[in-house]
Amino acid sequence: MTASVTHLWRLLKWGRTLARHGALRGIEQDPMTPPPVRRLCRLARFGARTPATPDYAAALVAIGPAAVKLGQVLSTRPDLVGERAAANLSQLQDDLPPAPFAAIRQIIEASFGAPLESLFSRFDEQPVGAASIAQVHHAVTTEGREVAVKVLRPGIEEEFARALETYEWAAAHVERFGGEAARLRPRLVVAHFRQWTARELDLQREAASASELRENMVAEPGYHIPEIDWRRTARRVLTLEWLDGIKLNDREALIADGQDCGALAATLVRAFLRQAVVDGFFHADLHHGNLFALRDGRIAAIDFGIMGRVDRRARLWLAEILYGLITGNYRRVAEIHFEAQYVPAHHNVDEFATALRAAGEPIRGLPVKDISVGRMLESLFAITRDFDMPTQPHLLLLQKTMVMNEGVATALDPDINMWETAEPFLREWIRSELGPEAYYADRLIETVRAFKKIPELIDRIDQYFPPRGAAPPAPPLPEIPLVVHRNWLAYVATGLVGLAAGAAAMALFT
């Protein structure tokens, strides 16, 4: 267990870096910041030269890879860090200098217990990309297939373990202050961050996620997931099909290549909805660098370290919420929030519906380019505060991915309206999932499952209520108040009295 003084030292050291980039200014000035945190910020920036405009992204890059990943998570939480900080963090680039090739070779050979040359006929020493957790090399297998080889950076697991311990320690202490800090549940945010990074640090799990998503997306032929080379994949090495395409953020190159940007945007929106709403398993890191347009017009996705899951009940709620916002059925959206217990029961459903209308009506029917994201977020966060809505960490990845997906789709087609594109898809899915056929199918499944439990329930009843044995039942025993003795002298005195009484009884009967 790491000592508290170690956590404080790390926080002060990181705080010093944040202060040099002006990143502590917003924390200090926020009225919601607990006083002890404000004092720690002042101590960390003591004597430091702070710029007028904070640069949160640059500060986190200077701190290290774990801070870069945390910043990417916090960029989805303007309610936690503020809109200005979230906008700055959303520009955070996950690009770092590559690790030496000698260390990369050692990791690959240790993972498979074989020399590099027995696995690949060609392996480019210079990576095509180096991020905070891993770097990617172009290679050719001994069978002649072009592949991308993703390798964890040396020592990255230990670095993340140290940072996560301190994040958890700091979040627990901040949450103790109560109030707004408790409502935002920073400990759960860090807990989810730990889960995400655990998946990213195990490349074999990432390969399994890619394989599962590839199977799911067979229903969306315009969306391609690369094939995994399982023979050359291990916990610290991932080998997959090499993709030759154009990144979706290079619109001019896409147009020059003859790609239909409007069709690509529509495919992107539809594929996301199929993943999140239909399958409940979605790619949760859909930024420009992870999406390509292939020569045949399909979209290809890479980097499956961060994946999200939503169970069926939550997907039904989500689909109804989105569809209700699209169609202006704010009353139904409000009811779902109460059914899902996202809003405490002491609030009024009609008042909540009115608040949703105030946030939704100004943006309905507008193209994305005409929507003020800042104004929309300001309205939504005001609603969560006014109605005491606790943060829902299990939906953080979904919220982040929706924002990312919308941003990429807008860059491809500035006139796209994501809501209108989604409406037919959601309407059909809701009809199939909430229609009479689905209702009776669900009831039938529930009934069959209930009947299947009956034999087990009988066995458990027999276990807890066994049959009577041959011996007659014991007579009831009277309740005798016991004397509680406080010390050994009382025990000695009780014993002496007992001995005296016994001796007297013997004398009487002899």
Side-chain angles (χ1 to χ4, degrees):
M1 183 68 70
T2 304
S4 294
V5 66
T6 303
H7 293 308
L8 282 170
W9 172 248
R10 288 175 186 166
L11 289 171
L12 286 172
K13 185 171 62 174
W14 296 341
R16 195 70 178 170
T17 304
L18 291 168
R20 285 198 298 269
H21 291 83
L24 294 181
R25 190 187 309 276
I27 300 175
E28 283 189 69
Q29 295 174 351
D30 192 334
M32 297 294 183
T33 300
V37 176
R38 196 177 290 117
R39 286 194 293 269
L40 187 64
C41 291
R42 281 199 293 267
L43 179 63
R45 70 168 178 82
F46 180 76
R49 293 181 179 180
T50 59
T53 304
D55 191 346
Y56 304 97
L60 295 181
V61 169
I63 291 173
V68 170
K69 280 296 172 188
L70 180 63
Q72 290 175 338
V73 172
L74 293 178
S75 69
T76 69
R77 295 296 308 277
D79 59 327
L80 196 63
V81 299
E83 292 176 26
R84 186 175 300 177
N88 179 265
L89 291 171
S90 66
Q91 303 168 10
L92 196 62
Q93 296 298 312
D94 202 6
D95 294 325
L96 294 175
F101 178 69
I104 296 300
R105 171 189 279 271
Q106 184 178 3
I107 290 173
I108 295 174
E109 293 182 343
S111 296
F112 301 107
L116 184 70
E117 290 74 17
S118 68
L119 300 166
F120 305 98
S121 61
R122 196 187 89 201
F123 196 99
D124 294 350
E125 296 187 9
Q126 189 65 27
V128 295
S132 57
I133 286 181
Q135 58 192 58
V136 179
H137 294 257
H138 177 247
V140 178
T141 67
T142 51
E143 294 85 9
R145 294 194 309 273
E146 275 193 288
V147 291
V149 183
K150 184 175 182 178
V151 187
L152 288 184
R153 299 177 74 93
I156 195 66
E157 297 101 327
E158 294 79 8
E159 183 171 348
F160 266 79
R162 289 192 297 269
L164 279 165
E165 272 193 313
T166 300
Y167 296 161
E168 289 171 336
W169 185 89
H173 283 78
V174 169
E175 196 164 301
R176 284 178 57 194
F177 300 129
E180 185 73 0
R183 186 184 73 83
L184 295 173
R185 300 198 279 188
R187 292 184 66 190
L188 274 178
V189 174
V190 176
H192 280 258
F193 178 60
R194 177 181 280 279
Q195 290 179 347
W196 302 341
T197 54
R199 287 194 291 265
E200 284 199 89
L201 291 171
D202 185 345
L203 298 185
Q204 199 153 11
R205 285 183 64 184
E206 179 177 340
S209 297
S211 177
E212 182 177 350
L213 188 63
R214 179 181 170 89
E215 290 180 4
N216 291 347
M217 295 308 291
V218 168
E220 195 62 50
Y223 197 87
H224 179 69
I225 305 298
E227 187 177 358
I228 302 298
D229 185 340
W230 286 103
R231 182 188 160 211
R232 296 171 177 85
T233 293
R235 189 179 65 82
R236 305 191 72 195
V237 182
L238 166 62
T239 304
L240 68 165
E241 170 191 354
W242 178 263
L243 298 174
D244 186 14
I246 303 171
K247 287 188 177 182
L248 291 192
N249 63 339
D250 194 347
R251 194 166 185 270
E252 293 183 1
L254 292 171
I255 294 172
D257 191 55
Q259 299 279 357
D260 185 342
C261 292
L264 290 173
T267 298
L268 191 66
V269 172
R270 193 170 57 249
F272 164 70
L273 290 170
R274 183 172 297 281
Q275 293 174 41
V277 178
V278 177
D279 300 319
F281 182 64
F282 59 93
H283 192 308
D285 199 14
L286 289 176
H287 58 75
H288 294 100
N290 288 339
L291 294 165
F292 298 85
L294 303 180
R295 300 298 178 186
D296 57 7
R298 293 180 297 165
I299 291 178
I302 60 170
D303 195 354
F304 309 94
I306 304 179
M307 305 294 292
R309 286 193 186 275
V310 186
D311 63 32
R312 184 172 181 270
R313 184 174 61 171
R315 296 202 309 272
L316 287 171
W317 281 331
L318 171 66
E320 282 203 88
I321 288 171
L322 291 177
Y323 190 68
L325 291 173
I326 291 170
T327 58
N329 189 354
Y330 299 108
R331 169 72 190 196
R332 180 56 189 150
V333 174
E335 289 172 350
I336 295 167
H337 277 77
F338 278 80
E339 291 170 13
Q341 299 179 16
Y342 294 155
V343 182
H346 64 269
H347 285 287
N348 183 278
V349 66
D350 292 312
E351 287 296 323
F352 187 67
T354 302
L356 288 172
R357 181 181 295 274
E361 281 300 307
I363 64 173
R364 279 190 63 219
L366 293 177
V368 174
K369 65 179 181 179
D370 294 334
I371 294 175
S372 170
V373 176
R375 180 183 172 191
M376 179 182 67
L377 290 176
E378 183 181 356
S379 299
L380 291 176
F381 295 143
I383 292 173
T384 63
R385 286 191 294 268
D386 293 346
F387 288 85
D388 305 315
M389 293 171 62
T391 300
Q392 302 297 328
H394 67 288
L395 296 179
L396 290 180
L397 273 180
L398 188 60
Q399 295 167 358
K400 165 195 169 186
T401 309
M402 288 179 68
V403 173
M404 279 187 173
N405 194 78
E406 186 175 67
V408 177
T410 306
L412 286 169
D413 182 4
D415 294 321
I416 189 174
N417 186 316
M418 187 171 176
W419 304 111
E420 289 180 359
T421 306
E423 193 267 344
F425 186 97
L426 291 172
R427 184 180 64 244
E428 178 59 28
W429 190 78
I430 290 173
R431 192 205 68 78
S432 64
E433 291 294 319
L434 297 180
E437 303 94 337
Y439 174 84
Y440 288 112
D442 287 344
R443 300 295 81 76
L444 181 62
I445 291 172
E446 290 172 1
T447 303
V448 170
R449 286 176 178 170
F451 275 112
K452 288 173 68 177
K453 289 180 181 178
I454 291 176
E456 181 188 354
L457 289 173
I458 294 173
D459 291 340
R460 289 167 64 183
I461 291 172
D462 280 343
Q463 179 182 353
Y464 288 106
F465 300 98
R468 294 179 180 179
L477 300 177
E479 289 189 11
I480 307 296
L482 301 178
V483 178
V484 179
H485 303 290
R486 300 293 180 183
N487 51 53
W488 67 272
L489 288 173
Y491 286 103
V492 172
T494 303
L496 291 174
V497 171
L499 285 172
M506 292 291 294
L508 289 173
F509 288 99
T510 57

